[in-house]
Amino acid sequence: MEYRILGPIEVVRDGLVLPVPAAKLRTLLAALLVNANDVVTVDTLIDQLWNHNPPDGARNTLQNYVLRLRRLLGTGADCPLVTRPHGYTIEVAPGSLDLYVFDILVRRARTAAAADETDRAATLLRQALRLWRGEALADVSSDALRREVAAALDERRLDALELRIETDLTLGLHQILLPELRSLTAVHPLRERFWAQRMLALYRSERRSEALDCYQTIRGLLSSELGVDPGAELRDLHRRLLTGEITPLCPVRPRSRGNLPADVTTFVGRKQLLAQVGRLLTGNRLVTLTGVGGVGKTRLALQAGAELSGMFPDGVWLADLTALPEPRLLDQLVAQALELRDQSTRCPLDVVTEHLRSKRLLLVLDNCEHVVTAVATLVDVLLKACPKLKVLTTSRHRLGLTCEHVLLVPSLSLPPVPTGGPRGESPPALTGYEAIELLADRAAAAAPGFAITLDNQQRVAQLCRRLDGIPLAIELAAVRLGTLSVDEILDRIGDGFDLLAAPGTTTPRNHQTLRHVIDWSHRLCTEPERLLWERLSVFAGEFDVAAAEAVCSGCGVDRSDIVDLLAALVHKSVLLARTHGRRTRYRLLETLRQYGRRRLREAGMEEPLRRRHRDHYQRMAAQAAERWCGEQEIEWLSALRRELPNFREALTFSLGDPDQAIHGLEIAVNLTRTRVWFFAQALGEGRLWLERAYDAVPEHGPSRIIVAALLKWSALVVGDRSTAGRYPSTDEGHRADPVVSAIVTYAEGSHALLVHGDPHAIALLARARGGFERAGMYGDAHMTTMLWAMSCAFLGDARTARAAARDYLAEAEACGAGWAYTWTLWVLGLVELRHGDVGRSAASFGEALRRQYDIDDCWGPVWAVEALAWSAAACERHHRAAELLGVAHRMRRLVGVTLTELRPFHDLHAAAERRARTVLGEEAYLAAFTRGGQVTDIQRFVLDEGLAGETVQGRAHTPAGPRHGE
């Protein structure tokens, strides 16, 4: 049975629409469906049926309508319309009500957008909006219901539409959006967000004056209709349109078969070189692009990867090593680039090797020079173990492997020096020269009034020759053509280039050329711009405005000027800006970052700025640890994942100096407290930083004891008992510290639960929970509540388990954290499985799984699928149980969990397996188990195909829970 309320009311059974002809029946059905799975009181139904003016005998009449609706929906045990104390409820399976599906898709889209997965967000939002067939409850006659419910539903649709347009703008679809936005601003003339999106689309379509006219239009409408001015967001957008501060659009390449980023600018020239790269990769397995900084190695590698993607069925994958702080993180970073979800203590190299062993894939390793030895070791292992793998690297130094084919990336082709032909003869046209094409292309964006003409073409050629055809040098010069002529640029750089011919110079000319052009670009900046450029070099990878303000302001750079200075550096091609939705992030090109870092070092400011950088991210980690468990949970976790390169930089700086190690320890501890390593699929990296912190601080101190407890816990949750045993518990002398006591007790309770299945875990975890609450560590307290409720369900009696589940549910609903709430549902399912109606457990486990997929959780689904197998076996659905056990086994291998070391989980697993084997027989069991292990679309197989029968069998009421982002 399916129900549709996002438009005219429809009931669909077996693909056929059942007519609901009577207006009162449609109203009754709508009133129940908008509160599906919840009790709607008799009084509420009467008010909505008769618009708060009921006739005499309304209760008896309502009972008659309920009887007629039951005849329509089904009779007996299959009827979803159920009488409850004080009212009625309609029980709806997951996925069978279009409103539920809409909300799920929008939640998933918000999560994807927060994680910068813009193309996925756009796809989900289109799916969600296609569910609308007109106005909500379009054929419902109740004014009360339409006024109280339909308007709110339509607002949810408009919110989703705004988000979809925002993702389309990020994807570079501004011109396509203009007709739609014109219509939307006409239909919703006072909705400021649509006007802001229309202004941005016009501006990016090079229709600036029309964008500014839109602002005046909405300003007049708001003043005349509501007597108010535009809001802060619209005013700020108007200001940025006037000043030209809108950052360049970074379109997002749809993510398919790899992770190559989209092009920000056009790729010019290099056709022969691209063909050469293709030939080398066709016949060889390792190609290294080498050359001086700024010559375009990275851009060439990315373009080659994009053009050759058809050769690699398993994709082209980029691992950018620019921000890698130290060689021993290389394997982990490559695993993350490949989006591997292994959370075990296995060596990351083994995980990567196993993943790539049968893949036909191109791995691009960019900027290898500072970790070249580690890269050579990694590549050597991978190429020997993975026969279909090919590797393309960029580095200023070759790797030195015998199978390596090195391709020197030269400068762009240049026109020859004029030889002085016959007088009066026109000079040859500047066509077919890559350096000239690049200058013209970049100048067209930075200086629209500039053109190469017969009058200036020789000077243009002279400029490109003077810059030695180095792409970065040409781009830096091109942005100056908006304020300087070609002759003026030549005059300004001429003296410095004369010095390049000085005797005794040993640096290669290309290196000197690039250094000189960067020096020249640096001199042309204002003093605050130069200072900011240098200070920004302490960031690893990307950063945002808030980080730049916190780290770089002061001593010549006013905090209030940072935004304008960032815009100026973007315009001068010193910074790259990337805008996703309402968030802009910046980064320095690596060559320019190294230049800024050298200037900072020469000024004696490198150490102070690195401390400020560390302090900023230390504060961010501390704030996240205190605030993550709440309605902004996904935003916090996504922000932490985006900033991992900068956290690595801060950790490396701190843990490398004994005097600073305590700061690194605090960062490592707080990141672990937020569970970001689970969210970022990098639990192994989290353990590495904890281990380094453990080794870096004095023995027997409270900080080291906290780290030991977290290391023990990190090993326990993946079933790594041997690693957990390496870290001793604290002595009683440190129990006086309430934080130490709570964390250590938490680790002890986890050990008692997961390793021994000891009921004593209940008391230990309850004590830890109270300690965290008294210390104000509410996120930690909530995590402890989860394990405590879980231990009560696994190890306690029915009364204890149900009481703990109620406490956990109340706490989860109060904090509003989406990830935490999924585990509440899981625990509710476990309580039903162990102490209640096993038929009802699947609904809770299934809803937990559905919500975990909504937020892109890679850890929780392993346990939700495993628990669904337990439930299926308990309900005598043994074939389904065997299939789900196969799915769960495959998922555990992907994340690296050893189930046999997790006592209570393994006990239920073994019982389910034993029952299924006994009933099905060995051959049938193995066939079903193998079939489950081969499933590729796990989400569809488990949820869409499997839960329908399970939900009918056990219609458990599932609490609504928090709706992320609404």
Side-chain angles (χ1 to χ4, degrees):
M1 192 86 76
E2 296 180 19
Y3 307 93
R4 300 168 185 168
I5 63 174
L6 303 181
I9 295 290
E10 286 185 355
V11 179
V12 182
R13 177 186 288 153
D14 298 328
L16 298 176
V17 177
L18 303 181
V20 188
K24 291 298 185 186
L25 284 188
R26 289 196 300 272
T27 299
L28 174 60
L29 180 60
L32 291 167
L33 286 173
V34 296
N35 298 283
N37 296 324
D38 288 328
V39 176
V40 185
T41 66
V42 169
D43 290 340
T44 298
L45 291 173
I46 288 173
D47 285 341
Q48 292 177 342
L49 279 167
W50 287 284
N51 293 312
H52 300 281
N53 186 27
D56 294 336
R59 288 179 176 268
N60 290 334
T61 306
L62 172 61
Q63 291 178 355
N64 181 52
Y65 287 145
V66 169
L67 179 61
R68 291 170 60 187
L69 188 57
R70 279 179 172 151
R71 290 172 183 162
L72 175 70
L73 299 179
T75 58
D78 291 335
C79 182
L81 180 50
V82 181
T83 302
R84 300 291 188 199
H86 311 299
Y88 301 91
T89 185
I90 188 167
E91 294 182 334
V92 174
S96 62
L97 175 63
D98 58 358
L99 176 60
Y100 278 9
V101 176
F102 172 79
D103 286 340
I104 287 169
L105 291 171
V106 172
R107 282 204 307 269
R108 291 178 183 171
R110 292 188 189 280
T111 301
D116 291 340
E117 297 175 357
T118 314
D119 53 315
R120 179 169 179 262
T123 300
L124 291 168
L125 288 164
R126 283 184 170 80
Q127 292 175 8
L129 290 166
R130 278 198 294 268
L131 295 172
W132 287 77
R133 297 166 292 108
E135 293 184 10
L137 313 180
D139 57 349
V140 172
S141 59
S142 168
D143 292 338
L145 197 58
R146 292 180 58 80
R147 182 175 60 252
E148 296 166 6
V149 177
L153 293 179
D154 192 56
E155 183 64 25
R156 278 150 76 170
R157 180 184 67 85
L158 291 176
D159 286 344
L161 183 57
E162 288 177 348
L163 182 58
R164 196 225 80 208
I165 291 172
E166 191 170 289
T167 60
D168 284 348
L169 284 170
T170 303
L171 290 167
L173 304 179
H174 36 272
Q175 292 186 333
I176 297 174
L177 287 170
L178 284 174
E180 181 181 11
L181 286 167
R182 187 184 306 115
S183 174
L184 287 170
T185 51
V187 175
H188 306 280
L190 301 179
R191 199 171 183 92
E192 293 187 40
R193 187 72 192 133
F194 286 145
W195 282 99
Q197 291 171 331
R198 184 180 175 188
M199 290 164 61
L200 189 58
L202 285 166
Y203 182 86
R204 286 180 172 163
S205 301
E206 299 182 358
R207 296 162 66 175
R208 180 174 178 271
S209 62
E210 293 178 63
L212 295 173
D213 288 343
C214 281
Y215 180 78
Q216 298 304 325
T217 301
I218 179 59
R219 182 182 181 186
L221 286 169
L222 291 171
S223 176
S224 61
E225 297 291 330
L226 303 177
V228 297
D229 291 327
E233 179 185 352
L234 203 57
R235 293 198 309 272
D236 181 64
L237 176 61
H238 180 243
R239 178 189 63 79
R240 291 191 292 142
L241 294 180
L242 288 172
T243 58
E245 293 177 22
I246 300 295
T247 56
L249 179 66
C250 177
V252 177
R253 186 196 306 274
R255 298 186 63 190
S256 60
R257 297 192 305 169
N259 67 340
L260 293 183
D263 296 332
V264 181
T265 54
T266 54
F267 185 83
V268 175
R270 304 289 203 188
K271 292 181 181 179
Q272 293 182 350
L273 201 60
L274 278 169
Q276 191 173 358
V277 174
R279 286 193 297 272
L280 285 172
L281 282 172
T282 299
N284 304 281
R285 299 185 59 208
L286 171 61
V287 175
T288 294
L289 304 181
T290 188
V292 300
V295 81
K297 300 183 294 295
T298 295
R299 190 63 192 277
L300 178 64
L302 296 180
Q303 187 68 22
E307 293 189 6
L308 297 172
S309 60
M311 294 172 50
F312 301 99
D314 295 306
V316 180
W317 295 85
L318 168 69
D320 184 358
L321 311 185
T322 304
L324 184 66
E326 58 175 272
R328 60 174 157 174
L329 285 175
L330 173 65
D331 300 346
Q332 183 72 46
L333 188 144
V334 172
Q336 291 174 22
L338 291 168
E339 299 180 359
L340 303 184
R341 299 191 168 196
D342 193 290
Q343 306 279 30
S344 71
T345 55
R346 287 197 299 166
C347 171
L349 179 57
D350 293 341
V351 175
V352 173
T353 302
E354 181 179 330
H355 173 74
L356 296 178
R357 196 178 303 279
S358 61
K359 297 286 193 298
R360 190 176 176 188
L361 176 149
L362 176 63
L363 178 62
V364 181
L365 302 175
D366 188 31
N367 286 299
C368 302
E369 49 271 353
H370 61 302
V371 286
V372 68
T373 302
V375 171
T377 302
L378 170 68
V379 171
D380 187 44
V381 171
L382 292 180
L383 290 179
K384 289 176 179 176
C386 311
K388 299 178 183 179
L389 173 69
K390 298 196 176 187
V391 179
L392 177 62
T393 72
T394 73
S395 176
R396 297 184 191 178
H397 312 292
R398 60 178 298 165
L399 303 188
L401 298 177
T402 55
C403 61
E404 180 181 25
H405 287 258
V406 178
L407 179 61
L408 178 65
V409 179
S411 299
L412 299 174
S413 60
L414 292 161
V417 178
T419 57
R423 183 174 297 178
E425 181 179 317
S426 298
L430 298 181
T431 58
Y433 300 108
E434 295 167 338
I436 303 297
E437 291 177 11
L438 180 64
L439 183 75
D441 182 86
R442 300 303 188 256
F450 173 80
I452 299 176
T453 65
L454 288 174
D455 293 333
N456 69 7
Q457 66 174 5
Q458 289 308 309
R459 300 290 278 171
V460 168
Q462 183 182 355
L463 175 60
C464 289
R465 286 192 296 269
R466 190 70 66 88
L467 299 176
D468 285 334
I470 300 174
L472 179 56
I474 291 172
E475 292 185 347
L476 290 173
V479 299
R480 295 294 177 179
L481 288 170
T483 54
L484 297 172
S485 68
V486 176
D487 289 337
E488 287 173 318
I489 293 176
L490 279 167
D491 291 342
R492 286 173 177 266
I493 66 175
D495 294 340
F497 272 78
D498 292 339
L499 296 176
L500 294 178
T505 299
T506 58
T507 305
R509 177 180 173 83
N510 281 349
H511 284 284
Q512 298 177 54
T513 299
L514 182 61
R515 167 67 187 277
H516 185 77
V517 172
I518 297 175
D519 277 336
W520 171 70
S521 296
H522 189 263
R523 288 196 303 272
L524 289 181
C525 292
T526 65
E527 179 63 18
E529 290 169 0
R530 288 195 291 269
L531 289 172
L532 183 58
W533 176 349
E534 294 162 11
R535 295 173 186 180
L536 291 173
S537 68
V538 299
F539 287 100
E542 296 182 344
F543 56 90
D544 58 17
V545 172
E549 290 174 338
V551 175
C552 302
S553 60
C555 299
V557 178
D558 193 278
R559 189 184 188 95
S560 62
D561 293 335
I562 292 284
V563 173
D564 293 334
L565 293 172
L566 290 172
L569 291 177
V570 169
H571 294 159
K572 292 170 181 174
S573 291
V574 174
L575 279 179
L576 294 179
R578 181 175 68 94
T579 299
H580 279 280
R582 305 180 190 183
R583 183 176 58 251
T584 300
R585 293 180 65 78
Y586 304 85
R587 71 177 177 90
L588 282 162
L589 289 171
E590 180 59 15
T591 302
L592 301 184
R593 190 187 73 86
Q594 292 175 5
Y595 175 86
R597 181 65 72 89
R598 184 184 60 80
R599 303 268 317 190
L600 200 64
R601 190 178 305 119
E602 291 172 351
M605 292 300 294
E606 182 181 26
E607 182 86 5
L609 262 296
R610 292 190 75 185
R611 278 200 302 271
R612 290 189 66 176
H613 174 274
R614 187 271 319 284
D615 292 344
H616 172 71
Y617 287 99
Q618 185 176 350
R619 287 192 299 271
M620 183 179 185
Q623 291 171 357
E626 297 304 318
R627 303 176 186 176
W628 73 270
C629 190
E631 294 181 356
Q632 301 301 310
E633 172 195 58
I634 299 301
E635 286 78 1
W636 268 115
L637 293 173
S638 296
L640 293 175
R641 181 164 59 181
R642 282 193 299 272
E643 295 293 358
L644 282 180
N646 282 303
F647 281 117
R648 293 183 186 116
E649 179 73 16
L651 285 161
T652 300
F653 171 70
S654 299
L655 296 176
D657 180 351
D659 294 334
Q660 305 287 334
I662 192 65
H663 299 284
L665 180 145
E666 183 180 323
I667 295 172
V669 166
N670 282 330
L671 289 178
T672 303
R673 289 174 60 203
T674 66
R675 289 13 179 205
V676 69
W677 302 116
F678 286 96
F679 190 73
Q681 306 165 27
L683 188 56
E685 182 181 349
R687 285 195 298 269
L688 184 147
W689 291 118
L690 286 173
E691 288 167 358
R692 286 197 56 184
Y694 184 80
D695 295 336
V697 297
E699 295 185 11
H700 307 305
S703 297
R704 199 165 194 256
I705 293 169
I706 289 173
V707 173
L710 291 176
L711 278 166
K712 182 188 291 285
W713 174 82
S714 298
L716 286 174
V717 294
V718 295
D720 184 8
R721 193 183 302 185
S722 62
T723 298
R726 295 178 198 164
Y727 300 99
S729 300
T730 181
D731 56 66
E732 292 302 318
H734 290 290
R735 294 280 185 175
D737 185 318
V739 173
V740 172
S741 179
I743 291 176
V744 170
T745 305
Y746 173 68
E748 291 173 346
S750 301
H751 189 273
L753 168 65
L754 299 174
V755 175
H756 300 299
D758 183 354
H760 187 49
I762 297 173
L764 285 170
L765 291 166
R767 190 195 314 160
R769 178 191 183 199
F772 284 131
E773 289 175 344
R774 288 189 294 274
M777 301 167 67
Y778 298 110
D780 304 84
H782 188 78
M783 288 296 299
T784 311
T785 302
M786 177 188 77
L787 277 183
W788 168 72
M790 196 180 293
S791 67
C792 291
F794 273 125
L795 309 172
D797 56 27
R799 181 179 178 183
T800 300
R802 292 193 179 281
R806 284 195 298 271
D807 283 358
Y808 186 24
L809 175 62
E811 189 175 302
E813 290 180 334
C815 80
W819 179 84
Y821 191 79
T822 66
W823 282 100
T824 307
L825 294 169
W826 193 93
V827 169
L828 290 172
L830 183 63
V831 171
E832 291 296 339
L833 180 68
R834 299 276 291 160
H835 306 285
D837 181 353
V838 295
R840 296 165 63 94
S841 62
S844 291
F845 290 140
E847 183 62 17
L849 180 62
R850 195 182 304 278
R851 289 174 181 253
Q852 286 161 350
Y853 278 123
D854 288 350
I855 60 175
D856 198 25
D857 180 7
C858 68
W859 177 255
V862 178
W863 307 108
V865 173
E866 174 71 28
L868 282 167
W870 306 341
S871 178
C875 292
E876 305 298 327
R877 302 180 71 233
H878 297 296
H879 186 272
R880 181 64 177 169
E883 289 181 328
L884 290 173
L885 287 171
V887 174
H889 176 74
R890 179 167 181 262
M891 295 175 77
R892 285 197 305 276
R893 284 181 55 82
L894 288 174
V895 299
V897 171
T898 305
L899 188 63
T900 55
E901 302 297 325
L902 299 171
R903 176 71 176 276
F905 292 86
H906 181 258
D907 286 350
L908 288 185
H909 171 90
E913 179 183 347
R914 189 166 52 251
R915 283 196 295 268
R917 283 182 185 273
T918 301
V919 173
L920 297 176
E922 189 68 16
E923 184 177 348
Y925 172 83
L926 287 176
F929 181 89
T930 302
R931 187 162 47 253
Q934 294 172 343
V935 169
T936 54
D937 190 346
I938 294 175
Q939 182 175 352
R940 180 176 181 180
F941 178 79
V942 177
L943 291 177
D944 299 343
E945 297 178 10
L947 275 185
E950 292 166 10
T951 306
V952 170
Q953 185 171 355
R955 288 193 185 102
H957 166 65
T958 302
R963 284 177 176 155
H964 173 65
E966 293 178 10

